[in-house]
Amino acid sequence: MSEERDRLTRWRLVLGGEQSDGIGEAATLDADDRKRDEALRDLYDGERRSGLGASAPKVARWLGDIRGYFPSSVVQVMQADAMDRLGLTQLLLEPELMEAVQPDVNLVSTLVGLNHVIPERSRATARAVVRVVTDELEERLRAETVQAITGALNRAARTRRPRHSDIDWNRTVAANLKHYQPEHRTVVPERLVGYARRAHRVERRIILCVDQSGSMAESVVYSSVFGAVLASLRSVETKLVVFDTAVVDLTDELDDPVDVLFGVQLGGGTDINQALAYCESLIEQPADTILVLISDLYEGGIAEEMVRRASSVVASGATMVALLALSDSGRPSFDADHAAALAAVGVPAFACTPDRFPDLMATAIEKRDITAWAAANDIVTTHEPDPAP
């Protein structure tokens, strides 16, 4: 009997549940089956329903769903069908059509998610589209990021016992104005402000640990750009690690965001604990290390072990922060329980826009209170689980 119901359920998913499918109530769908049904409807009933449409965030979530609920052979077929139904195949094969489209982060997110089914003859066009967007983002974000990082490193290196050649006279005068001597018309400094003698060496190590599940598509795009900018600074050593149920180190690709984006595989499950284990193994000088976990925290691995490992990173002296999203797309969906658990062990968890990310990194470099920084910028850092329906 159970085999018969399983067979009917499969036919129900194939036929779509319309009144004429002849199955009716004979097939029942559990929670996973309903999600499979929704994913199939979005793709194949698009003309009658809202479908995938032009909503890139929905496409990104859909790409994650199908990898989670269908075997890889079926996923490849559905992704190829999505290429056609979204109009991307024709778009990429006819460059003149691309000229009429304004490339943006949403389009890049979709192309990256469908990376493995883009026809070989279209890949050059896809990469060109992605490069236009990453170049524009890098141009917009580079100057502010470099200024924030180098300024923070300079301030972090400041000392009150500088050598004469390292004295910052402007700051020294400002710090000693109360000691102005009117009769001599001068300031007598009681303390000197300057910079520690700095060699051209790595002063901070930044690890970007990025969740590549479908819902994080926009965050992956921005992470690749920031990773490239940070990697260009001699005083900062940057590593980029992406993960789903596997962990991939893309540090060697950091000089080119396009190579990074075509090296990720959006969608599927997540194993944050495994990713943190790998990142923890990269930490050699905890006091100088900043670990940025970019994830919605929907853990598919062992959640308790994830929190314990995060606590271990903090206890080592490293700075760790969890970004629930690195995007401009508004309030993200995330696991509030896990966000609260991380905050309880000293890992602030909140969403961050790309424009605020440079200042966040400066705060971390100077070892200032990240939670206080977030509060000063009206960023929510307390997390309450959504009420049960």
Side-chain angles (χ1 to χ4, degrees):
M1 182 65 179
S2 60
E3 291 182 2
E4 174 68 13
R5 294 187 68 85
D6 287 344
R7 185 175 66 84
L8 289 174
T9 296
R10 288 196 294 272
W11 274 111
R12 161 65 181 78
L13 291 171
V14 169
L15 297 175
E18 300 298 330
Q19 292 182 354
S20 60
D21 69 7
I23 296 177
E25 299 299 324
T28 57
L29 303 183
D30 60 20
D32 284 349
D33 285 334
R34 285 194 293 272
K35 291 182 179 179
R36 293 186 182 95
D37 191 45
E38 182 69 19
L40 290 166
R41 282 176 175 270
D42 281 342
L43 180 60
Y44 297 110
D45 283 357
E47 295 179 0
R48 286 177 291 171
R49 305 171 73 250
S50 59
L52 291 175
S55 170
K58 184 169 185 177
V59 172
R61 289 192 297 271
W62 180 85
L63 289 169
D65 287 344
I66 65 172
R67 284 190 63 205
Y69 292 108
F70 296 97
S72 59
S73 58
V74 176
V75 169
Q76 292 174 11
V77 173
M78 294 179 70
Q79 286 182 331
D81 287 345
M83 282 284 295
D84 288 332
R85 288 173 177 261
L86 290 169
L88 290 177
T89 299
Q90 183 180 12
L91 197 68
L92 293 172
L93 287 175
E94 300 182 34
E96 62 274 12
L97 290 179
M98 284 304 309
E99 296 176 1
V101 175
Q102 177 61 50
D104 59 13
V105 172
N106 290 332
L107 178 57
V108 169
S109 300
T110 301
L111 290 175
V112 172
L114 293 169
N115 171 29
H116 297 287
V117 295
I118 294 176
E120 191 60 38
R121 63 190 183 281
S122 304
R123 297 188 72 79
T125 305
R127 288 181 67 91
V129 172
V130 173
R131 188 169 300 283
V132 167
V133 175
T134 56
D135 284 352
E136 289 179 352
L137 291 176
E138 188 169 348
E139 181 179 0
R140 173 167 72 88
L141 299 170
R142 171 174 285 280
E144 184 179 354
T145 302
V146 171
Q147 181 179 2
I149 299 299
T150 55
L153 289 170
N154 287 338
R155 289 188 294 272
R158 195 167 294 142
T159 176
R160 294 187 178 184
R161 300 183 62 184
R163 301 182 183 185
H164 186 271
S165 61
D166 295 327
I167 295 174
D168 183 337
W169 287 108
N170 289 333
R171 293 186 178 276
T172 295
V173 171
N176 290 276
L177 284 176
K178 63 182 178 180
H179 304 302
Y180 178 71
Q181 304 293 318
E183 64 274 19
H184 300 295
R185 300 180 66 184
T186 188
V187 171
V188 179
E190 289 194 355
R191 67 182 180 89
L192 301 176
V193 180
Y195 299 100
R197 186 169 293 275
R198 297 169 60 190
H200 293 300
R201 60 183 177 82
V202 171
E203 298 181 44
R204 290 293 187 276
R205 291 160 177 80
I206 298 174
I207 303 172
L208 301 178
C209 183
V210 187
D211 184 342
Q212 61 175 352
S213 59
S215 59
M216 300 298 293
E218 188 176 341
S219 297
V220 172
V221 175
Y222 280 113
S223 296
S224 72
V225 173
F226 278 118
V229 173
L230 292 171
S232 70
L233 301 176
R234 287 188 300 175
S235 52
V236 175
E237 179 186 276
T238 304
K239 295 185 182 296
L240 176 64
V241 176
V242 299
F243 68 93
D244 45 25
T245 53
V247 180
V248 180
D249 192 325
L250 293 178
T251 301
D252 290 343
E253 311 293 337
L254 265 178
D255 59 332
D256 189 344
V258 178
D259 287 341
V260 169
L261 290 172
F262 279 91
V264 303
Q265 182 172 312
L266 293 174
T270 55
D271 191 336
I272 303 172
N273 175 53
Q274 182 182 203
L276 289 182
Y278 178 78
C279 291
E280 189 175 25
S281 73
L282 300 177
I283 299 176
E284 298 178 352
Q285 299 180 15
D288 295 330
T289 300
I290 301 164
L291 172 56
V292 183
L293 171 64
I294 304 174
S295 172
D296 54 19
L297 302 182
Y298 288 113
E299 172 65 314
I302 306 173
E304 295 81 3
E305 184 67 13
M306 172 191 72
V307 175
R308 188 206 65 77
R309 198 173 297 280
S311 178
S312 174
V313 170
V314 173
S316 74
T319 298
M320 181 174 171
V321 58
L323 299 185
L324 308 173
L326 180 57
S327 73
D328 287 311
S329 295
R331 186 179 186 275
S333 172
F334 62 94
D335 190 305
D337 289 331
H338 292 161
L342 288 177
V345 298
V347 180
F350 51 82
C352 181
T353 63
D355 289 336
R356 282 178 170 163
F357 185 76
D359 194 35
L360 167 62
M361 295 309 299
T363 300
I365 286 172
E366 295 180 60
K367 299 185 181 296
R368 291 185 275 132
D369 188 324
I370 293 176
T371 301
W373 171 86
N377 285 276
D378 297 323
I379 297 174
V380 177
T381 57
T382 56
H383 310 291
E384 295 295 335
D386 293 332

